[in-house]
Amino acid sequence: KNQVEQSPQSLIILEGKNCTLQCNYTVSPFSNLRWYKQDTGRGPVSLTIMTFSENTKSNGRYTATLDADTKQSSLHITASQLSDSASYICVVSDRGSTLGRLYFGRGTQLTVWP
Amino acid sequence: EADIYQTPRYLVIGTGKKITLECSQTMGHDKMYWYQQDPGMELHLIHYSYGVNSTEKGDLSSESTVSRIRTEHFPLTLESARPSHTSQYLCASSDHRGPSSGNTIYFGEGSWLTVV
């Protein structure tokens, strides 16, 4: 069964600290992996998209890594800010059908305290 | 910045009422989607469209219906709302390529529906 599991479910850190969020997936055949940021009550916003051949991709203070062999990804946030408080969602696309479909994780709820 | 808009953002209605959630995008995208998301849970695809006059049901069974008469517009309608329909509804769009291409999927701000 194609699934996307994220950990931890929630995380609290102090402003300025770094953190790493995890994503494990069983989606096969794998096509790409996306990280989205979703502020409370808002729609998700794309942070990174990685294909099978990409190991890492950065977007400002956000760096995503991908290990397609172990089917794991991480999102590292550097020097956290209060505005980083949000849910971070891992989304995996397969290439089993003609156009592919998306599998969503439940997200990690990050809270940054001053 | 995504040019995809949803209205209303928040709606409280009584059981049995008919409601339509509006979604419009100005990016010329062929593909549009409706997702349902309960708090703390993953997004579930309830409807999608690959273009004008094309609509399909998603993975999660829904009593809602959609239409795609114009490229930029993808409204969702509930003929008779029930408390079980209380949820957040997210509209999204992408270009003609499928998710396996790695294209960006843009989301609207969401519509929070509460049925009392």
Side-chain angles (χ1 to χ4, degrees), chain B residues 16-93:
Chain B
K17 298 294 185 182
K18 176 181 179 180
I19 62 107
T20 296
L21 305 181
E22 302 287 350
C23 177
S24 296
Q25 51 91 9
T26 58
M27 297 175 282
H29 285 166
D30 292 323
K31 292 183 171 53
M32 296 189 74
Y33 314 84
W34 275 104
Y35 289 90
Q36 185 174 342
Q37 183 184 30
D38 293 324
M41 303 297 287
E42 64 268 48
L43 278 72
H44 291 286
L45 181 67
I46 52 175
H47 297 284
Y48 62 96
S49 168
Y50 285 164
V52 172
N53 295 325
S54 155
T55 61
E56 301 287 344
K57 290 189 178 295
D59 307 314
L60 182 66
S61 175
S62 174
E63 295 167 347
S64 58
T65 59
V66 294
S67 63
R68 190 87 182 275
I69 300 174
R70 302 200 315 266
T71 298
E72 63 272 20
H73 198 213
F74 191 40
L76 180 146
T77 298
L78 275 166
E79 290 291 335
S80 179
R82 295 205 303 271
S84 61
H85 296 140
T86 295
S87 187
Q88 181 184 28
Y89 293 85
L90 288 160
C91 181
S93 74

Side-chain angles (χ1 to χ4, degrees), chain A residues 9 31-32 34 36 38 41-46 49 51 89 93-95 97-102 104-106, chain B residues 9-10 31 35 37 40-43 50 59 88 90 97-105 107-110 112:
Chain A
Q9 184 176 0
S31 177
N32 56 75
R34 309 156 189 257
Y36 278 85
Q38 185 176 22
R42 310 290 288 272
V45 174
S46 179
I49 302 173
T51 61
I89 303 172
S93 176
D94 70 7
R95 51 182 173 84
S97 56
T98 303
L99 298 173
R101 57 163 292 176
L102 297 173
F104 289 82
R106 293 188 175 185
Chain B
R9 290 290 321 280
Y10 304 94
K31 292 183 171 53
Y35 289 90
Q37 183 184 30
M41 303 297 287
E42 64 268 48
L43 278 72
Y50 285 164
D59 307 314
Q88 181 184 28
L90 288 160
R97 297 170 296 169
S100 61
S101 71
N103 60 343
T104 299
I105 297 173
F107 286 85
E109 296 285 12
W112 283 95

